[in-house]
Amino acid sequence: MMSQFDINQAIYEKYIVPTKHNNNYKIGIELEIPILNMSQEKIDFGVIQKVVKALQTHFQLHIEKCDDNGDVYCLLNQETNDTVSFDYSYCNIEFSMGVVSNLHVAFERFRAYYTFLQTELNKYHYRMTGMGVNPYGIYNDNNALPGQRYRMIQHHLESYIDHSRFASFHSRPNFGSYSCASQVQLDISEDQLIRTLNIFNRLEPIKAVLFSNSLLLDPEFNLLSARDRFWESSMYGYNVHNVGMFDIELTDVEELVQYIKGTSLFNVEREGKYIFFTPIPAEQFFQMDFVEGQIFNGDHFVPYCFQPQPSDLAFLRSYKFEDLTYRGTIEYRSACCQPVNESMCVAAFHVGLQEELDSLETLLYQDRSVYKQGYSPIELRKMLIELEFPSVLNKQAVRDITLQVVEIAKQGLKKRNLGEECYLEPLFERAKTMINPALRILHRELDGKTMEQLVEEYGAL
């Protein structure tokens, strides 16, 4: 059992101490992309393994992880630390680029993997495409890939029906098999940590305008960014501190430590096996004598009682839109997967804005046309992922501030003098027209496009 002081210290060591040693600015990029069977049939995982083997051989990649059946689901480039893996399901592929200081370097490496894989998939009439919700996901076996961690996550998410609050959760616990994101991690120093979290948290409504691309027409959703609800209204969001936006303006590191202490654990590991349980805030978990959970016995999940230990802090993880990691980085998690030829726009946007924090802060906190109209940033984001633009907001005002934000990002990238501002060009068009990728999908028939045509267009590099 740990005292509150010891818990505070452990959290400080895990999350705050790494921000004291960031001398070299690095960028980490993760691009999740769905795989589609263009015959509108279930994806054959045997085909996926053939493609994985071809990728491994062509790039001489190291087999990093295999599932319980011995099939490969993670490959590592030992020179660059890039990984190509499957996220939750064999229907989603994830490109995690080894840290870089230049966006062009990451893009060229991604381009090589993607181009090769798309060619291989095409042999079987499969495609990758840049959409945050797989439009052909309904045809797939949407179960987690057979492995300890993903099996545990699936059963944890499915356990929502066992809780009295289940009526407030959506009925799609397998969303991880057909939803994809574009995420970026940027180094952060302690002296800029709180300020950066607050500014980017306030920016989330603008990001909804620019990056929404997980359209889901379903009575439970009907949203341009279904990813928001996927996470927030699932067992991940059992504790609201674990998901979405901050509902407070953080004042200092001590308050952030208290906030993190209020986030929940929902799994730990014992002897190589995962145990999941109803989420418990860290400040309570580490003071409990025993926790009742469930563990997989090789056939099904059975009850399992265990004693918390300090090392379990390694399993404390939140899914905030702005998420402080143990690496001394902030992971920006709210952007959907983007059309593939625009895949670097999310990383470029965040890198540029981090270079121009003063200008961004001034704009967001002095604006009275969007931000001081009686709605919180959380409320604004929720309104701006709806299918229709909210009538209570001034569309021209939202357009103007969105354009200003993109221009600030451009100036930040110009300051780096690497020519990375080219990746922002699609965002200027989105801001001017107020049409993000999800809206293009929603109104495709007005443009004379079929879903198959958009799949090809969004998947082109």
Side-chain angles (χ1 to χ4, degrees), residues 103-117:
L103 294 174
H104 298 306
V105 173
F107 180 64
E108 289 306 317
R109 297 205 309 246
F110 165 70
R111 185 210 295 270
Y113 301 131
Y114 183 86
T115 301
F116 179 85
L117 277 171

Side-chain angles (χ1 to χ4, degrees), residues 363-387:
L363 175 65
L364 296 183
Y365 283 88
Q366 291 187 359
D367 172 74
R368 302 195 67 87
S369 62
V370 176
Y371 281 93
K372 296 184 180 180
Q373 295 295 308
Y375 300 100
S376 70
I378 291 178
E379 291 169 327
L380 287 171
R381 179 166 175 104
K382 289 186 181 300
M383 287 191 285
L384 289 167
I385 63 171
E386 296 285 345
L387 299 184

Side-chain angles (χ1 to χ4, degrees), residues 215 217 439-452 454:
L215 175 69
L217 299 179
L439 281 169
R440 286 179 56 202
I441 299 172
L442 179 65
H443 300 306
R444 63 185 180 277
E445 293 178 358
L446 296 177
D447 297 330
K449 299 281 183 69
T450 65
M451 178 59 79
E452 187 172 79
L454 277 184

Side-chain angles (χ1 to χ4, degrees), residues 86 200 258 272 286 343 426 447:
F86 293 92
F200 277 91
Q258 294 303 313
F286 289 105
S343 56
D447 297 330

Side-chain angles (χ1 to χ4, degrees), residues 2-18 20 253-254 257-258 260-261 282-283 286 310 313 316:
M2 297 172 67
S3 69
Q4 291 296 325
F5 176 81
D6 288 339
I7 299 170
N8 288 345
Q9 284 297 109
I11 289 173
Y12 186 88
E13 289 288 329
K14 178 180 178 180
Y15 292 101
I16 308 302
V17 169
K20 297 177 181 290
V253 165
E254 287 70 26
V257 168
Q258 294 303 313
I260 294 172
K261 191 169 71 169
E283 58 190 343
F286 289 105
L313 186 64
L316 177 62

